[in-house]
Amino acid sequence: MRLRRGVLVTAGDLAASERAGRRFDVDCLAVLASLARPTALVSHSSAARLWELPTPRTADQTVRLTDPHQWRRGQGYLMTCAPVAPTDHWRAGPVPVTSATRTLVDCAREGSVEDAVVAMDAGLLTERTMLADLQRAVDAVRHWPGAPRAQRAVELADGRAESPLETRGRLRIMGAGLPRPELQV
């Protein structure tokens, strides 16, 4: 079966990836293979899905990439041109992906603060990142678009929240002008 121009997969392998809930991983690999950009990494909401972090239900199915040398848009993908530190190069199986910390900050810069805090809380709870690492990552992009939103999300993040609903409840309480609740007491 043709996934993209020049990228083929057997019907059995594609069906197996769908049964395993890994079809999006295959789509990411197909985009990377078709672009033949060794410096490109899966990033933003696409990387959040690969890291199994919560993403908004309305998240676009477009494969998001970051490359330090080129911006590009095509059918089913969007490549952002931005520097990527060597510490932000990771792998989710065979897929090159931005680190969980960089992923969370990139998502926070582009999405709502509430969705960003939900994802950051999950990343902190599962120990995919630490609060100090998130703060360093936000400091590194302080002049980029959306950086103030990412900074606000880091300030609100708390790794003790055990569910998106708990995070959203905490944010609503604080938004109503009440003191920040102490979690897991």
Side-chain angles (χ1 to χ4, degrees):
M1 299 191 71
R2 180 181 183 268
L3 296 177
R4 303 189 75 73
R5 184 178 177 154
V7 180
L8 306 172
V9 66
T10 66
D13 288 343
L14 188 59
S17 72
E18 288 174 353
R19 281 192 303 276
R22 293 297 192 193
R23 172 60 195 258
F24 189 70
D25 301 44
V26 172
D27 292 339
C28 291
L29 276 172
V31 168
L32 287 166
S34 69
L35 293 173
R37 301 248 354 131
T39 55
L41 301 168
V42 176
S43 62
H44 296 78
S45 58
S46 298
R49 288 181 64 183
L50 296 179
W51 279 106
E52 298 178 355
L53 294 167
T55 55
R57 288 187 186 129
T58 58
D60 191 359
Q61 297 301 309
T62 301
V63 175
R64 294 293 307 271
L65 306 166
T66 297
D67 187 288
H69 307 293
Q70 183 178 23
W71 179 94
R72 191 170 174 186
R73 178 187 297 269
Q75 183 180 356
Y77 73 90
L78 172 62
M79 185 184 309
T80 303
C81 181
V84 182
T87 55
D88 289 331
H89 288 253
W90 286 72
R91 285 201 170 272
V95 183
V97 63
T98 53
S99 68
T101 302
R102 171 68 182 264
T103 298
L104 289 165
V105 170
D106 284 344
C107 289
R109 289 186 314 102
E110 294 187 354
S112 74
V113 170
E114 185 173 304
D115 288 336
V117 175
V118 166
M120 286 180 182
D121 281 0
L124 291 165
L125 179 68
T126 57
E127 299 180 348
R128 289 188 172 100
T129 190
M130 295 173 40
L131 203 50
D133 295 335
L134 286 169
Q135 187 58 59
R136 277 191 292 276
V138 167
D139 291 344
V141 300
R142 68 182 170 277
H143 299 296
W144 294 11
R149 186 171 37 249
Q151 178 62 49
R152 179 71 177 138
V154 169
E155 291 167 359
L156 293 170
D158 187 324
R160 295 174 294 170
E162 294 181 343
S163 74
L165 187 58
E166 187 174 351
T167 298
R168 292 182 194 284
R170 182 179 85 242
L171 295 175
R172 295 289 192 291
I173 289 168
M174 293 167 57
L178 297 169
R180 185 181 196 130
E182 189 171 339
L183 303 180
Q184 309 309 326
V185 176

